[in-house]
């Protein structure tokens, strides 16, 4: 992994309106390179509440969307929004003893108790979460070169990287990388993907290298399911 020291960096908030999708900030390195984060199309947000239709989204992640070097060269990062949810993220349950008329033999839809003039009320509060996430779909620069990312659906809501394509001058395809996966099916349902191979192809669609293959060893995997390509 490549690590950048943040010592002597400076920062600037480009927009201070936290409720706006345009909220963004930038970090500046000692050599003058500017890194922009956030703004519309590069912010992830989440909302959580007791019903399916609740509070506004709250930003919680600001992705890198632009780099400008000291010479004015620009690299842009483009994302595609994915909405996951609503899903149940929490459940609160409260048992309450409610006094009732002694002539009433039971509490409808509730448990009977002893003595007969009390019943247990079951109050449930579910909390739902909906997330707006961002998937990287393109990186381009001021020279017209670009890298495109495409995904395939793996169940709901997961997306798997399917291919990466590299173009120069906007339209000339130079390289394409394709990703394939093996799947394990746990006994509890669903499927778990594992990257099995990466193939590299030239502009003519022919392979230009032997590619890369991956294998895994795990006793737990052999116990919970089977795998196939």
């Amino acid at each position: 992994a490549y690590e950048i020291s943040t010592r002597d960096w400076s920062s600037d908030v480009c927009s201070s309106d936290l409720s706006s999708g345009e909220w963004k900030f930038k970090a500046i390195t000692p050599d003058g390179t500017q890194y922009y984060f956030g703004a519309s199309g590069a912010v992830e947000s989440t909302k959580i509440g007791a019903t399916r239709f609740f509070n506004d989204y709250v930003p919680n992640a600001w992705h890198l969307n632009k780099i400008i070097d000291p010479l004015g060269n620009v690299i842009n990062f483009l994302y595609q929004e994915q909405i996951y949810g609503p899903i149940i993220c929490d459940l609160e349950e409260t048992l309450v003893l409610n006094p009732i008329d002694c002539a009433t033999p039971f509490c409808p839809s509730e448990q009977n108790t002893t003595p007969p003039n009390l019943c247990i009320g079951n109050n449930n509060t579910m909390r739902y979460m909906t997330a707006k996430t961002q998937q990287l779909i393109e990186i381009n620069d001021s020279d017209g070169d670009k890298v495109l990312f495409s995904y395939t659906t793996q169940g709901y809501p997961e997306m798997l990287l399917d291919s990466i394509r590299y173009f120069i001058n906007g339209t000339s395809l130079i390289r394409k990388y394709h990703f394939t996966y093996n799947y394990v099916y746990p006994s509890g349902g669903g499927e778990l993907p594992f990257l099995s191979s990466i193939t590299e192809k030239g502009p003519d669609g022919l392979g230009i290298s032997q590619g890369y293959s991956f294998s895994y060893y795990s006793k737990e995997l052999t116990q919970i399911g089977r795998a196939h390509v």
Side-chain angles (χ1 to χ4, degrees):
Y2 181 67
E3 183 176 344
I4 300 177
S5 173
T6 56
R7 187 177 61 181
D8 300 325
W9 282 40
S10 61
S11 61
D12 180 26
V13 176
C14 305
S15 170
S16 59
D17 184 4
L18 290 175
S19 65
S20 170
E22 295 297 328
W23 193 89
K24 57 185 180 291
F25 64 94
K26 68 178 177 180
I28 307 170
T29 63
D31 68 359
T33 301
Q34 303 175 68
Y35 296 83
Y36 287 79
F37 299 85
S40 179
V43 176
E44 293 195 0
S45 56
T46 305
K47 61 179 181 179
I48 299 177
T51 68
R52 290 178 179 269
F53 309 99
F54 34 78
N55 306 323
D56 293 334
Y57 285 95
V58 177
N60 51 30
W62 293 264
H63 292 291
L64 179 65
N65 71 21
K66 182 167 59 177
I67 301 174
I68 305 177
D69 73 11
L71 299 178
N73 299 306
V74 179
I75 300 176
N76 298 296
F77 299 80
L78 305 180
Y79 301 87
Q80 177 176 279
E81 183 180 89
Q82 296 288 336
I83 299 180
Y84 298 141
I87 60 174
I88 298 175
C89 64
D90 189 20
L91 172 63
E92 294 181 359
E93 183 177 37
T94 304
L95 299 180
V96 181
L97 288 177
N98 298 317
I100 62 172
D101 187 346
C102 294
T104 303
F106 63 89
C107 300
S109 303
E110 296 171 338
Q111 283 185 295
N112 295 327
T113 61
T114 302
N117 63 330
L118 290 178
C119 69
I120 296 178
N122 192 350
N123 298 327
N124 294 330
T125 300
M126 292 184 179
R127 292 168 58 85
Y128 296 87
M129 180 180 71
T130 303
K132 289 184 178 180
T133 66
Q134 303 291 342
Q135 285 185 326
L136 180 64
I137 59 172
E138 181 177 338
I139 302 173
N140 61 61
D141 63 24
S142 49
D143 293 329
D145 301 335
K146 63 182 179 181
V147 179
L148 301 182
F149 303 83
S150 62
Y151 301 84
T152 182
T153 302
Q154 186 259 324
Y156 176 82
E158 296 86 357
M159 303 288 286
L160 296 176
L161 181 62
D162 179 67
S163 68
I164 299 175
R165 292 173 291 162
Y166 171 50
F167 296 81
I168 62 172
N169 300 322
T171 58
S172 300
L173 177 64
I174 299 301
R175 291 285 187 276
K176 179 180 180 179
Y177 301 89
H178 180 67
F179 300 78
T180 57
Y181 301 85
N182 284 344
Y183 293 91
V184 168
Y185 297 88
S187 56
E191 57 185 17
L192 302 176
F194 292 84
L195 180 64
S196 61
S197 67
I198 302 175
T199 55
E200 181 182 9
K201 297 182 179 180
D204 55 4
L206 300 177
I208 59 176
S209 72
Q210 293 182 341
Y212 307 89
S213 61
F214 306 87
S215 60
Y216 304 85
Y217 174 76
S218 171
K219 292 182 178 179
E220 288 77 12
L221 291 181
T222 60
Q223 293 172 356
I224 65 175
R226 53 189 174 84
H228 72 88
V229 177

